[in-house]
Amino acid sequence: MIGSGIFVSPSGLLYRSESVATCLIIWGACGALSMLGALSYAELGTMITQSGAEYSYFLEAFGPMPAFLFCWVSTFLLKPSQLAIISLSFAKYTVEPFIVGCEPPDLVVKLVCAATIASITFINCYSVSLATKVQNIFTAAKLIAIFIIICGGIYMIALGNVSYLSTGFEPFDPSLSPTTFSDIATAFYSGLWAYDGWNNLNYVTEELKNPFVNLPRAIIIGLPLVTGCYILVNVAYLAVLSPIEMINSPAVAVTFGARALASWAWLMPLAVCVSTFGSANGTLFVGGRLSYVASREGHLVDILSYVHVRRLTPSPALLFNTLIALLMIIPGNIGSLIDFFSFTAWIFYGGCMAALILMRYTRPNAPRPYKVPIIMPIIVLIVSVYLVVAPIVEDPQIEYLYATMFILAGLIFYIPFIYYKVPVKCMGPVTAFLQYLLEVVPTKYE
């Protein structure tokens, strides 16, 4: 979960919440909402033990069409955009220390981002074991980065730097218009982006040891820990930087390090780079598995369900996600990518809550090793509807229409190729060529 969000999102969330107290409350509320959503997913994951998370749950609850639409959007939009956002963040933090007195050139940032995605793809295609070792190492580095920021903030508070924190609900910029429901929803987008990843274990349920115990346990331990870290990090930021400085900083953690850590400031961009690299690695790992599972069920081209003949990695699916992510870094605007990602993602998170509630009635006798009170998915469903509807009603933007049209556009492919099973004659030679080129073979799933 801890990736680029806590280092990128504070600026956008603070700007939209318009006061320090509201900002900290929203960070806590995002953690609580993620906790409720993750616990609801734990029930789904222990009842439906197939990998694929939302895809598998939609397939069981609603049938193939909603599952395909989720697969369509996630494969071509959600997972690649998530990888692009994190990699752009890594690139900005990498370039920032070398550019003094001005913004890093966009071209340089994008080139570093592309090289990062290529490196992560090589790691994941080379070996599953190597990818997991990289993830373990970089996860430890994430926690070190968080620890450094919190300790720096505690030190500054001990010196009496509480003037920004003590402003409470007072607007830090009187010129801003009053906060609207749309502002709160888009502030939640920034915060929830930082928490995104609470459902990642559900994508690899088949690979978990004793998922009936370890899936809920990981959520119950991990979510409160991350929520506490995020709130303390924002307190630390505000003990050193003014709200206006945070909003104007392109790399909040680096600015914080320069102000609070003195000669050790170089540790901050290094630690953040390590953190975001690890998060990007995990994002590609999960995205590849989703494409692999969907292809295995016949909802994507066959080649994406193939694995390397020696390394046993789903390299076609990984390369496919990489190609789309590389296309997404061309715009380069992290803020717009985060809003676009969050709006689309919460449509499907809400759909999963609806699936859980529906299956309580359609499959009442299904084994549920872990079961949550029904009020939990109901709350998450209501909030999901709010997060999707409020920005459209109060501040309609063309991007929301594009996202909706993109979801529905999946029907253009579903109806002929999935529902009516119209064969694509040219895919046979293409699949054979890619098999030889990538040295991959089909797998069987019982």
Side-chain angles (χ1 to χ4, degrees):
M1 290 172 59
I2 299 175
S4 66
I6 189 59
F7 309 114
V8 175
S9 297
S11 301
L13 195 156
L14 183 61
Y15 174 77
R16 287 156 176 161
S17 57
E18 299 182 12
S19 72
V20 169
T22 304
C23 173
L24 295 177
I25 289 171
I26 291 176
W27 275 108
C30 288
L33 179 62
S34 299
M35 182 73 176
L36 295 179
L39 291 173
S40 299
Y41 267 57
E43 175 177 329
L44 289 168
T46 53
M47 180 177 70
I48 303 168
T49 55
Q50 290 182 344
S51 295
E54 293 91 347
Y55 174 80
S56 298
Y57 310 149
F58 287 158
L59 195 63
E60 291 286 337
F62 304 127
M65 187 176 75
F68 174 84
L69 291 179
F70 171 77
C71 160
W72 158 260
V73 175
S74 290
T75 302
F76 289 94
L77 176 65
L78 294 186
K79 294 305 176 185
S81 69
Q82 194 175 11
L83 178 59
I85 292 167
I86 296 171
S87 299
L88 279 169
S89 177
F90 170 85
K92 288 188 72 171
Y93 275 91
T94 301
V95 174
E96 182 84 9
F98 301 98
I99 307 294
V100 180
C102 64
E103 287 284 321
D106 284 344
L107 179 60
V108 175
V109 172
K110 291 176 183 179
L111 288 174
V112 173
C113 178
T116 302
I117 294 175
S119 301
I120 292 168
T121 303
F122 173 78
I123 290 169
N124 279 268
C125 289
Y126 184 80
S127 167
V128 174
S129 175
L130 177 61
T132 53
K133 287 177 181 176
V134 167
Q135 194 63 33
N136 289 339
I137 294 170
F138 284 82
T139 296
K142 295 178 189 183
L143 294 177
I144 293 172
I146 295 292
F147 181 74
I148 291 171
I149 293 174
I150 292 174
C151 288
I154 291 173
Y155 176 75
M156 298 303 288
I157 290 173
L159 295 179
N161 294 325
V162 294
S163 57
Y164 305 129
L165 291 167
S166 62
T167 57
F169 291 98
E170 180 183 341
F172 52 79
D173 187 351
S175 65
L176 293 173
S177 58
T179 304
T180 64
F181 286 111
S182 175
D183 292 332
I184 296 297
T186 50
F188 264 86
Y189 282 172
S190 291
L192 290 168
W193 158 249
Y195 284 96
D196 200 74
W198 50 262
N199 61 332
N200 275 2
L201 277 180
N202 293 69
Y203 282 95
V204 291
T205 308
E206 296 171 16
E207 302 173 52
L208 291 180
K209 296 180 179 178
N210 195 6
F212 305 129
V213 174
N214 289 328
L215 182 58
R217 179 182 293 168
I219 292 166
I220 292 169
I221 295 173
L223 264 295
L225 175 64
V226 173
T227 303
C229 285
Y230 282 2
I231 292 174
L232 289 174
V233 164
N234 277 275
V235 170
Y237 285 154
L238 290 163
V240 176
L241 306 172
S242 72
I244 300 299
E245 287 175 322
M246 280 185 63
I247 290 171
N248 292 330
S249 173
V252 178
V254 173
T255 306
F256 169 90
R259 189 77 59 83
L261 302 180
S263 60
W264 293 95
W266 59 271
L267 284 174
M268 202 68 262
L270 175 63
V272 174
C273 288
V274 169
S275 172
T276 49
F277 187 90
S279 184
N281 179 71
T283 299
L284 181 62
F285 185 91
V286 170
R289 268 58 184 180
L290 172 61
S291 300
Y292 171 80
V293 171
S295 177
R296 191 177 65 186
E297 296 291 336
H299 282 178
L300 290 174
V301 293
D302 291 342
I303 189 66
L304 297 183
S305 66
Y306 291 9
V307 299
H308 194 275
V309 67
R310 293 184 301 276
R311 306 191 187 283
L312 304 180
T313 56
S315 52
L318 294 167
L319 291 169
F320 182 71
N321 275 263
T322 295
L323 177 62
I324 300 175
L326 289 172
L327 294 174
M328 285 190 168
I329 68 175
I330 294 173
N333 187 326
I334 291 179
S336 63
L337 279 175
I338 289 174
D339 288 348
F340 194 67
F341 171 88
S342 299
F343 170 78
T344 312
W346 277 92
I347 294 175
F348 293 110
Y349 291 154
C352 271
M353 298 303 107
L356 190 156
I357 296 167
L358 177 65
M359 285 191 287
R360 286 285 183 92
Y361 297 96
T362 59
R363 299 179 59 181
N365 299 320
R368 290 177 171 84
Y370 180 82
K371 188 174 181 180
V372 297
I374 193 66
I375 189 65
M376 286 189 180
I378 290 175
I379 291 173
V380 179
L381 177 59
I382 292 171
V383 175
S384 300
V385 172
Y386 167 74
L387 290 174
V388 172
V389 173
I392 298 175
V393 172
E394 294 208 16
D395 185 21
Q397 297 181 33
I398 194 66
E399 286 83 357
Y400 300 138
L401 177 62
Y402 290 157
T404 305
M405 291 175 61
F406 187 86
I407 295 172
L408 297 177
L411 295 174
I412 298 172
F413 297 92
Y414 174 80
I415 292 172
F417 301 118
I418 307 300
Y419 187 79
Y420 287 108
K421 302 185 185 301
V422 175
V424 182
K425 295 181 181 179
C426 66
M427 283 308 300
V430 172
T431 300
F433 171 76
L434 291 175
Q435 269 194 268
Y436 283 114
L437 179 66
L438 302 176
E439 296 185 312
V440 293
V441 293
T443 58
K444 286 187 177 181
Y445 175 71
E446 299 298 336

